[in-house]
């Protein structure tokens, strides 16, 4: 049966990992291996929080090393184990390496269009919402003035809200507001607890019932599964809080820089294969405050049309001219480059002071991967600067988890500026900029974030150090002393100079001096076995769900290796139905639905966010739900070969390992 968390034998991450390893060893000795965490079943609504439990082992009656009741376990019994946050999966077949194959050209994502009747009914749906919404506004302002006070002039004051600007929010989003901003409780790991609620007034207000529902979480950017309340990173955070406290100490220029920040920046530079790096306390602000320090008046920014809002804000603040090219379309980019270089600046036609191209490594709304090799070929030809936003690709892609350059096998120093965030793969907060030392020194002075933003809080920096070091692995061997690269000589906790060691070539492990001496990591994290397991599980899950949904007949966007999988719903009414049906299944599933203005009007979608914490059984659960709901909502509109669900589940490994189709 299950024992409570207070069991002294497994009170640390190291002892828990050791217990799991011993359980696997015993299972192999008995001739069988527990392939994964048991599949989830039955809804689990609870009225009070129960302690997480750990699996208790008995050799005599448990050949698999994982003990369950004689009868099939209930959903709540499964969910209250340690695997609620990171599912156990020992089957090595359910692994894949995220890496572009040089044997095949970079495949373009073929975006299929739905049948005309789907588009027609989608437009009709919006027309009906707009027509009846304006009619209700017209009548309401005249016969229910009290309810429309916020949209009317009152006692000489202008209306607080424009009825036209707030129309979409009031007439469409409000109807499906129960699908957004759902309150949650606890760690957003493999599973998550939803706070149950209902609305007595058509979603204008929400009332909490006091109950909580444990659900499978396919909605968080927890790519490597570091969102855990137990584990080596958590232990490091606790120790860091004891030493540094929980709050930041003002901005970087106000003396908020600690030795932790210096160590983190040096480790980020090493992780990305760059000379230097700086970190910021907010991912959005990293782009919006750094881009104005890179370009200004007389410069040109060429931006992918689907770049993130933070990039758009930064470009606007810079005062530089901006042009956009079609998403991931290299022909469109080259044509635009020829035009802007030949024409020069508007009116004067003088040469541009600087041309900066900004792209993303992985586009989170489309699931597409940038064609970086093709852009670098254009860079050699046209001599522009390149800025790559790796918010979603760093840590999640590449055989070593180093991002899009690692995925393609490209030297990261061929890119001028690498930007990323710590909020996804690393389970922390904030962002970074990595580049040459001259560039970073300039950005420390000219960037707004250094002067006006607060320093990253010490617990967050500790999480960054621990998670990044676990991905890299630690080289504990002290090598001969060599000339030190800039900002790579790290100080220890007592500010004494750290021993100088020879770094391994990129993408090698980090030297032991890169971490504070009080931050111990278990052997599985030091030798990269833990990070390789996480990276390969994430790659398998991403490829499996992408290809399986297409085989079921759904229209999806994105590359096969993307951990973000958009499934097209088109009709706005289907967003709410899809979300509610997923949430009310026997095994509740939490998803993200996305609509206009985040997407084009007729391409509403559900966006699955995969994690290394998910097991193959979890993906099967999602596929089963999608298969049933897809038939109900008439969502299977893709053209091509289809497989039945049973065949997809049985041939999952074969499906994942099929070669790319150009």
């Amino acid at each position: 049966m299950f024992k409570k968390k207070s069991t002294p034998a497994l009170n640390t991450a190291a002892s828990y990992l050791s217990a799991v390893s011993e359980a696997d060893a015993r299972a192999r000795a008995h001739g069988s291996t527990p392939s994964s965490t048991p599949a989830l079943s039955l809804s689990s609504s609870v009225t009070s929080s129960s302690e997480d439990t750990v699996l208790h082992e008995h050799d005599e009656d448990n050949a698999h090393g994982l003990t369950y009741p004689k009868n099939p376990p209930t959903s709540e019994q499964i969910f209250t184990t340690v695997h609620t946050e990171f599912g156990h999966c020992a089957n090595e077949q359910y692994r894949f390496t995220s890496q572009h194959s040089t044997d095949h050209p970079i495949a373009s994502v073929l975006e299929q269009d739905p049948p005309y009747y789907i588009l027609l009914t989608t437009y009709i749906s919006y027309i009906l919402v707009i027509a009846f919404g304006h009619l209700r506004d017209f009548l309401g302002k005249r016969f229910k003035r009290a309810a429309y006070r916020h949209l009317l002039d009152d006692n000489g004051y202008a209306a607080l809200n424009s009825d036209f600007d707030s129309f979409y929010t009031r007439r469409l989003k409000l109807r499906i507001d129960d699908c957004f901003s759902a309150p949650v409780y606890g760690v957003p790991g493999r599973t998550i607890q939803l706070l149950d609620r209902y609305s007595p007034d058509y979603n204008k207000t929400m009332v909490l019932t006091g109950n909580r529902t444990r659900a499978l979480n396919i909605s968080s950017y927890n790519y490597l599964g570091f969102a855990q309340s137990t584990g080596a990173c958590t232990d490091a955070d606790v120790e860091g809080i004891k030493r540094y406290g929980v709050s930041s100490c003002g901005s970087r220029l106000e003396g908020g820089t600690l030795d932790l920040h210096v160590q983190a920046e040096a480790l980020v530079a090493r992780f990305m294969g760059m000379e230097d790096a700086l970190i910021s306390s907010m991912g959005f602000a990293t782009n919006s405050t750094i881009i104005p320090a890179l370009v200004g008046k007389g410069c040109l920014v060429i931006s992918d049309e689907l770049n993130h809002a933070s990039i758009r804000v930064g470009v606007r603040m810079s005062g530089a001219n901006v042009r956009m090219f079609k998403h991931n379309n290299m022909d469109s980019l080259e044509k635009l480059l020829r035009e802007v270089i030949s024409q020069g600046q508007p009116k004067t036609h003088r040469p541009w002071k600087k041309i900066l191209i900004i792209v993303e490594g992985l586009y989170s709304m489309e699931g597409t991967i940038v064609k970086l090799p093709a852009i670098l070929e254009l860079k050699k030809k046209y001599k522009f600067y390149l800025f790559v936003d790796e918010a979603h690709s760093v840590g999640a892609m590449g055989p070593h988890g180093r991002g899009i350059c690692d995925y393609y096998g490209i030297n990261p120093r061929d890119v001028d500026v690498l930007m990323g965030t710590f909020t996804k793969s690393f389970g922390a907060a904030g962002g970074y900029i990595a580049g040459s030392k001259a560039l970073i020194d300039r950005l420390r002075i000219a960037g707004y974030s250094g002067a006006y933003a607060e320093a990253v809080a010490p617990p967050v920096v500790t999480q960054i150090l621990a998670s990044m070091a676990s991905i890299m692995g630690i080289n504990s061997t002290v090598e001969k002393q060599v000339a030190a690269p800039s900002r790579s000589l790290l100080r220890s906790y007592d500010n004494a100079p750290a021993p100088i060691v020879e770094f391994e070539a990129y993408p090698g492990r980090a030297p032991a001096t890169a971490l504070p001496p009080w931050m111990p990591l278990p052997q599985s994290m030091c030798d990269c076995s833990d990070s390789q397991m996480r990276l390969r599980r994430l790659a398998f899950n991403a490829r499996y769900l992408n290809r399986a949904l297409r085989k079921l007949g759904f229209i999806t966007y994105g590359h096969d290796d993307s951990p973000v999988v958009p499934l097209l719903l088109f009709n706005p009414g289907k967003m709410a139905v899809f979300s509610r049906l997923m949430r009310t299944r026997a095994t509740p599933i939490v998803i993200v639905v996305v609509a206009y203005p985040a997407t084009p009007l007729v391409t509403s979608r559900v966006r699955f966010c995969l994690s290394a914490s998910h097991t193959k059984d979890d993906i099967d659960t999602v596929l089963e739900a999608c298969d049933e709901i897809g038939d109900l909502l008439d969502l299977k509109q893709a053209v091509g070969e289809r497989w039945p669900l049973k065949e997809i589940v049985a041939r999952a490994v074969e499906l994942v390992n099929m070669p790319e189709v150009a």
Side-chain angles (χ1 to χ4, degrees):
M1 294 297 292
F2 299 96
K3 277 192 175 181
K4 293 294 181 183
K5 190 176 182 180
S6 57
T7 303
L10 298 178
N11 56 0
T12 66
S15 60
Y16 166 66
L17 293 172
S18 176
V20 172
S21 299
E22 292 174 4
D24 288 345
R26 283 195 296 272
R28 295 187 185 94
H30 284 83
S32 60
T33 301
S35 61
S36 67
T37 303
L40 311 178
S41 63
L42 304 179
S43 176
S44 72
S45 295
V46 293
T47 56
S48 62
S49 103
S50 58
E51 283 190 271
D52 284 345
T53 59
V54 296
L55 299 174
H56 185 50
E57 304 173 353
H58 296 287
D59 291 335
E60 62 273 14
D61 60 359
N62 181 25
H64 291 284
L66 304 178
T67 300
Y68 296 112
K70 299 287 186 182
N71 298 323
T74 66
S75 172
E76 187 57 24
Q77 287 172 321
I78 294 173
F79 275 140
T80 53
T81 69
V82 291
H83 296 306
T84 59
E85 298 175 359
F86 195 93
H88 173 63
C89 179
N91 192 332
E92 288 296 324
Q93 287 187 309
Y94 302 147
R95 306 285 192 270
F96 192 78
T97 300
S98 172
Q99 187 173 18
H100 173 67
S101 174
T102 55
D103 297 334
H104 302 279
I106 302 174
S108 296
V109 178
L110 179 62
E111 295 183 358
Q112 294 190 27
D113 293 323
Y116 285 116
Y117 81 90
I118 295 291
L119 292 176
L120 182 62
T121 54
T122 299
Y123 280 116
I124 290 175
S125 298
Y126 280 109
I127 290 172
L128 291 175
V129 169
I130 292 172
F132 282 99
H134 282 300
L135 178 62
R136 291 184 63 184
D137 284 351
F138 178 82
L139 297 176
K141 289 178 182 178
R142 285 154 179 79
F143 300 105
K144 293 185 178 180
R145 295 184 62 87
Y148 285 80
R149 175 177 293 181
H150 60 293
L151 299 177
L152 298 171
D153 295 345
D154 183 44
N155 194 28
Y157 289 94
L160 280 175
N161 302 99
S162 165
D163 58 348
F164 181 81
D165 293 340
S166 63
F167 181 84
Y168 182 87
T169 303
R170 293 183 291 108
R171 294 305 179 197
L172 180 61
K173 182 179 179 295
L174 183 64
R175 295 171 184 262
I176 58 176
D177 222 20
D178 59 301
C179 301
F180 306 112
S181 306
V184 297
Y185 174 86
V187 175
R190 171 182 174 243
T191 66
I192 197 169
Q193 289 193 64
L194 293 175
L195 301 183
D196 295 342
R197 58 181 182 167
Y198 70 95
S199 176
D201 49 10
Y202 304 102
N203 288 345
K204 290 182 180 179
T205 59
M206 294 287 181
V207 180
L208 295 175
T209 65
N211 295 340
R212 295 198 293 269
T213 298
R214 177 73 72 172
L216 183 62
N217 180 20
I218 315 289
S219 62
S220 299
Y221 291 139
N222 180 30
Y223 293 138
L224 291 184
F226 281 120
Q228 294 178 254
S229 60
T230 60
C233 291
T234 304
D235 295 342
D237 292 340
V238 172
E239 183 64 25
I241 291 174
K242 292 178 181 177
R243 293 173 177 269
Y244 291 92
V246 297
S247 63
S248 58
C249 309
S251 72
R252 299 295 295 272
L253 293 186
E254 293 173 345
T257 300
L258 303 172
D259 59 328
L260 281 178
H261 297 98
V262 178
Q263 289 176 314
E265 290 179 343
L267 189 63
V268 169
R270 171 64 190 160
F271 184 84
M272 299 309 303
M274 291 295 201
E275 290 184 3
D276 202 356
L278 65 85
I279 62 175
S280 173
S281 58
M282 181 180 176
F284 190 100
T286 305
N287 274 333
S288 59
T289 63
I290 289 298
I291 292 177
L294 292 172
V295 291
K297 187 177 181 181
C299 299
L300 174 68
V301 173
I302 299 179
S303 176
D304 188 292
E305 66 179 350
L306 296 183
N307 275 345
H308 192 263
S310 61
I311 296 174
R312 295 170 179 261
V313 170
V315 173
R316 289 174 185 150
M317 291 174 60
S318 71
N321 290 76
V322 59
R323 297 288 298 273
M324 292 191 295
F325 65 96
K326 293 181 181 179
H327 174 57
N328 230 4
N329 189 315
M330 297 301 103
D331 292 335
S332 172
L333 175 57
E334 184 168 16
K335 182 179 179 180
L336 180 57
L337 279 168
R338 290 183 176 184
E339 176 190 339
V340 297
I341 291 174
S342 62
Q343 294 296 322
Q345 298 185 39
K347 297 182 180 178
T348 64
H349 299 290
R350 294 176 180 174
W352 297 101
K353 294 180 180 179
K354 196 185 304 178
I355 297 178
L356 177 67
I357 290 184
I358 304 180
V359 294
E360 294 186 38
L362 172 63
Y363 292 84
S364 62
M365 204 61 69
E366 307 295 317
T368 49
I369 300 171
V370 67
K371 297 178 180 179
L372 188 59
I375 294 180
L376 290 177
E377 288 298 320
L378 293 177
K379 185 176 186 292
K380 294 176 183 178
K381 185 176 181 179
Y382 293 101
K383 309 299 181 185
F384 52 78
Y385 293 99
L386 180 59
F387 182 113
V388 179
D389 180 337
E390 291 209 82
H392 291 269
S393 55
V394 68
M397 303 194 68
H400 307 92
R402 308 299 174 91
I404 198 65
C405 293
D406 188 28
Y407 176 78
Y408 284 115
I410 290 172
N411 185 345
R413 299 200 182 190
D414 290 341
V415 179
D416 299 292
V417 187
L418 285 174
M419 175 270 172
T421 63
F422 303 118
T423 55
K424 280 78 177 179
S425 299
F426 304 99
Y432 67 84
I433 294 286
S436 66
K437 185 180 186 305
L439 172 70
I440 300 302
D441 286 344
R442 169 65 181 170
L443 295 180
R444 294 184 195 282
I445 299 173
Y448 297 149
S449 59
Y452 300 108
E454 73 282 358
V456 184
V460 177
V461 184
T462 306
Q463 172 70 17
I464 294 169
L465 286 167
S467 58
M468 187 171 287
S470 70
I471 298 174
M472 299 175 72
I474 304 299
N475 180 8
S476 58
T477 304
V478 179
E479 306 263 352
K480 64 180 180 180
Q481 293 192 357
V482 294
S486 60
R487 297 183 63 83
S488 294
L489 301 186
L490 309 178
R491 296 174 295 172
S492 61
Y493 176 66
D494 59 359
N495 292 325
I500 303 172
V501 300
E502 185 176 8
F503 289 133
E504 294 183 4
Y506 173 87
R509 294 173 294 176
T513 53
L515 298 178
W518 48 262
M519 185 186 290
L521 295 178
Q523 183 62 29
S524 62
M525 301 183 80
C526 294
D527 62 13
C528 292
S529 59
D530 180 77
S531 64
Q532 281 299 308
M533 176 271 293
R534 291 174 185 263
L535 288 166
R536 299 186 69 218
R537 279 181 59 170
L538 173 63
F540 178 90
N541 291 342
R543 204 171 177 90
Y544 179 34
L545 184 61
N546 267 296
R547 293 186 166 188
L549 287 175
R550 294 190 182 106
K551 288 297 184 184
L552 285 174
F554 292 99
I555 296 178
T556 64
Y557 285 171
H559 288 81
D560 289 349
D561 292 328
S562 168
V564 178
V565 187
L567 187 154
L568 275 293
L569 302 176
F570 299 105
N571 195 296
K574 294 180 180 180
M575 289 190 299
V577 177
F578 194 99
S579 177
R580 291 163 184 165
L581 288 177
M582 293 288 273
R583 197 170 62 241
T584 55
R585 292 182 62 82
T587 300
I589 303 174
V590 179
I591 61 170
V592 175
V593 290
V594 189
Y596 178 86
T599 68
L601 192 65
V602 295
T603 58
S604 302
R605 65 198 66 176
V606 53
R607 188 176 56 174
F608 298 109
C609 302
L610 294 170
S611 168
S613 64
H614 296 132
T615 67
K616 193 260 184 184
D617 291 332
D618 295 337
I619 309 302
D620 292 341
T621 300
V622 174
L623 289 173
E624 180 183 1
C626 290
D627 187 46
E628 295 176 6
I629 298 174
D631 288 333
L632 179 65
L633 299 183
D634 192 23
L635 297 176
K636 298 180 180 180
Q637 303 294 340
V639 177
E641 180 187 10
R642 296 190 184 184
W643 293 4
L645 178 62
K646 288 185 178 179
E647 183 178 358
I648 290 174
V649 173
R651 299 173 60 185
V653 176
E654 177 187 348
L655 183 64
V656 167
N657 289 285
M658 284 181 177
E660 298 280 356
V661 178

